[in-house]
Amino acid sequence: MIRIGNASGFYGDRASAWREMLEGGPLDVLTGDYLAELTMLILARDRLKDPSLGYARTFLRQMEQCLGLAADRGVRIVTNAGGLNPAGLAAALRSLAARLGLSTTIGYVEGDALDQPDALAANAYLGAFGIASCLDAGADVVVTGRVTDASLVVGPAIAHFGWTRDDLDALAGATVAGHVLECGAQATGGNFSFFTELPDGGRRPGFPIAEVHADGSAVITKHPGTGGAVTVETVTAQLVYEIAGPAYPGPDVVTHLDTVRLAQEGADRVRITGTRGTPPPPTLKVGVAGLDGYRNAMTFVLTGLDLDAKAALVRAQMEDAVGKEGLAFTLTKTADGALLHAAIHDPDPKRAGRAFSSAAVELALASYPGCTLTTPPTDPTPNTTFKTAEIPQLPHWSIPHDGPRVEIPPPTQTAPLIREYVDRHAARHADELPDQLRWRVGARSGDKGSDANVGVWVRSAQDFAVLRGWLSRERFVELLPELAEYPIERYEMSNLFAINFVVRGVLARRDWLDPQGKALGERLRARLRESR
């Protein structure tokens, strides 16, 4: 068994988590995930300002205190904090180790960066065998660029157990463990629908650990005494996060999430078994970060009477001042009034900048009664875009601390990915959902490029039998009518008592107030209860 912990789910996660995990109990490997899709855009803009950057600088600061502690505890570190410049971060870590008087060996993985002149950055999502190669060569710390999030866990398991590309079920099982760990405290009660049921109310959840076994099965747990909880439901919530169908594609294996079995085997211990894997697709996912003009936004606070008329007046005044092109308005009603969010997107930084925000502020004494805004005039920000594409599987390279550059060839056995969405019950769904069941539905939502997913689950086979017969695509759109114009796919995973909805293209909306789709799940739960 290998114990693999996680100390970061995104760029900006809890700064103290690395120390907490190293001091909290035994570990073999500690991972850190920094590369959300938004992070690649942030790092690309950093690199525009300074070509020596492009990596997660917070990780380097965290290692000031933790590199020696990891060495003392015999814990190896694997992170994708290298971002767009893994070689640069590896060099900075070597300098840090020398300054601290440590003999830490640092390897890195490269080969994800692609040459695309019209993009800020284009990076392929690599697999886990480059990480394993660095660890096999003796690296204490492995830095990567863009790898799949789960690869941070799969790589150490490959090195520990000696798996090959033919060990598809084991690779799939470790991928599930990696998917559970990748978002840090989301597996231990963070962002959990039923957070009020957690022992500490979800105030400070600990970070997760996977005890991975030679067959790819795992136990998800956390250090004793840390907050939150590890239950079948907290793990389920993470499993349905940012996925599409049950066939979950990766560069090393297709993991079939509808084969996963979860069981509570003790306090804060959930065993994952049964996961099946099949050969990976012949392609890799590529994330492409680009620039598309400039954007800006101001928010008006509306109170009292005639809210719609007040919003209409502001809209007309802003259009008169800067023109209609590229303007978007979103009115959100609140208990005390409403918020009118005015946004602009334009290739001209002057029009998107003070011309827009000053026009909003100038209405303070010349618009609706009670006019007020939430911010002063602001400068524009570059409007960055993130798109995905696919390319044929390609080799990448591991670079040990002082050894030769090692080529990691692509898999030789691949199979096309077949996506089949399921809506078998659309024609015969139940007329009613019992009131009590409406309170037992959990949800978690997120982003996959320009798509959003909403994973919904219940707590028993009996509840799932009712939910699957009621919550069709049609019902989903009735509950979230703002999504009606987008293609929606529906998938079932009866093993998890879960249904997953994928909304294609919704996050490409520039006026969308939930740009990463994080709030869709809770919005659905609220409307489930309101729709009685």
Side-chain angles (χ1 to χ4, degrees):
M1 183 264 284
I2 180 173
R3 288 175 59 89
I4 305 171
N6 171 285
S8 176
F10 68 100
Y11 192 16
D13 208 344
R14 189 188 304 169
S16 61
W18 284 92
R19 175 172 285 278
E20 292 170 11
M21 288 297 287
L22 289 167
E23 293 179 339
L27 291 171
D28 298 303
V29 177
L30 186 55
T31 67
D33 180 11
Y34 289 77
L35 298 186
E37 292 171 345
L38 177 62
T39 309
M40 300 300 281
L41 296 169
I42 294 170
L43 298 179
R45 284 160 56 180
D46 283 352
R47 193 174 60 171
L48 277 178
K49 300 173 186 175
D50 184 346
S52 70
L53 298 179
Y55 55 79
R57 287 176 282 174
T58 54
F59 172 75
L60 194 60
R61 292 197 292 271
Q62 288 165 314
M63 289 302 103
E64 288 268 356
Q65 295 184 343
C66 294
L67 202 58
L69 182 58
D72 292 342
R73 298 292 178 101
V75 178
R76 302 168 92 176
I77 291 172
V78 178
T79 180
N80 60 15
L84 303 178
N85 188 6
L89 179 55
L93 285 168
R94 288 168 183 161
S95 296
L96 174 62
R99 178 161 56 83
L100 296 175
L102 301 173
S103 58
T104 305
T105 59
I106 292 126
Y108 65 98
V109 177
E110 65 179 14
D112 61 302
L114 306 176
D115 184 15
Q116 190 161 325
D118 59 341
L120 283 175
N123 298 82
Y125 286 66
L126 302 178
F129 281 86
I131 294 170
S133 175
C134 283
L135 292 170
D136 285 339
D140 300 310
V141 178
V142 180
V143 172
T144 78
R146 178 74 277 181
V147 296
T148 66
D149 299 343
S151 291
L152 300 176
V153 169
V154 179
I158 292 171
H160 185 76
F161 296 113
W163 295 336
T164 71
R165 290 194 178 277
D166 295 328
D167 293 308
L168 294 172
D169 289 347
L171 292 170
T175 297
V176 170
H179 181 56
V180 173
L181 261 61
E182 69 190 43
C183 289
Q186 278 197 169
T188 57
N191 299 350
F192 182 53
S193 290
F194 305 106
F195 68 95
T196 58
E197 299 177 9
L198 297 174
D200 58 354
R203 291 180 63 174
R204 190 179 173 85
F207 277 68
I209 298 166
E211 299 173 354
V212 183
H213 294 264
D215 62 354
S217 65
V219 172
I220 306 300
T221 185
K222 62 187 184 70
H223 282 321
T226 56
V230 179
T231 69
V232 166
E233 282 197 272
T234 66
V235 172
T236 297
Q238 181 57 27
L239 282 177
V240 301
Y241 179 64
E242 294 184 345
I243 63 169
Y248 184 66
D252 300 318
V253 65
V254 172
T255 300
H256 294 271
L257 298 175
D258 53 356
T259 64
V260 172
R261 296 292 181 267
L262 303 180
Q264 194 82 41
E265 76 162 24
D268 295 321
R269 292 181 64 82
V270 172
R271 184 170 292 278
I272 303 174
T273 58
T275 309
R276 300 300 302 274
T278 54
T283 57
L284 291 177
K285 176 181 172 182
V286 175
V288 182
L291 281 175
D292 180 23
Y294 297 84
R295 58 184 171 84
N296 206 342
M298 300 289 285
T299 301
F300 294 84
V301 180
L302 314 178
T303 58
L305 307 174
D306 305 318
L307 297 179
D308 290 331
K310 289 173 179 176
L313 175 59
V314 171
R315 179 169 187 149
Q317 289 176 311
M318 289 296 292
E319 290 175 348
D320 289 344
V322 297
K324 294 183 178 181
E325 187 67 27
L327 278 183
F329 296 87
T330 304
L331 182 65
T332 303
K333 298 290 180 68
T334 68
D336 300 321
L339 298 174
L340 180 65
H341 187 75
I344 189 170
H345 172 253
D346 196 86
D348 181 0
K350 294 181 180 178
R351 179 170 180 263
R354 291 304 177 99
F356 165 81
S357 58
S358 294
V361 171
E362 289 167 5
L363 296 180
L365 303 180
S367 188
Y368 61 91
C371 180
T372 186
L373 292 103
T374 60
T375 59
T378 56
D379 293 322
T381 57
N383 186 63
T384 47
T385 61
F386 190 90
K387 301 177 181 179
T388 59
E390 290 186 351
I391 61 170
Q393 288 259 15
L394 47 72
H396 58 284
W397 291 267
S398 67
I399 296 87
H401 185 82
D402 54 3
R405 193 168 183 257
V406 178
E407 180 177 343
I408 310 299
T412 56
Q413 184 183 10
T414 63
L417 180 69
I418 299 174
R419 295 187 185 275
E420 293 183 356
Y421 65 87
V422 177
D423 200 12
R424 292 191 298 267
H425 302 274
R428 55 183 181 86
H429 53 248
D431 291 331
E432 296 294 335
L433 191 68
D435 284 351
Q436 288 185 342
L437 179 53
R438 294 173 189 270
W439 293 84
R440 296 197 295 267
V441 175
R444 180 169 287 166
S445 57
D447 61 310
K448 294 293 283 185
S450 62
D451 303 330
N453 95 291
V454 183
V456 181
W457 79 91
V458 288
R459 294 173 160 177
S460 69
Q462 292 81 6
D463 282 353
F464 182 67
V466 177
L467 183 71
R468 74 190 301 193
W470 186 87
L471 190 55
S472 62
R473 279 182 296 169
E474 291 82 0
R475 282 266 166 70
F476 181 78
V477 171
E478 287 175 12
L479 294 167
L480 297 173
E482 59 269 37
L483 305 181
E485 65 186 276
Y486 299 96
I488 296 173
E489 300 167 8
R490 178 183 182 275
Y491 300 91
E492 293 181 3
M493 289 174 284
S494 58
N495 57 313
L496 300 176
F497 308 142
I499 302 170
N500 189 45
F501 294 91
V502 180
V503 187
R504 299 291 183 187
V506 63
L507 301 182
R509 284 177 55 171
R510 294 192 183 98
D511 62 337
W512 192 250
L513 292 180
D514 184 17
Q516 293 180 286
K518 306 297 186 186
L520 282 172
E522 286 302 291
R523 192 181 306 170
L524 176 71
R525 293 180 69 231
R527 292 181 184 172
L528 265 174
R529 297 183 185 184
E530 295 165 359
S531 66
R532 295 194 296 272

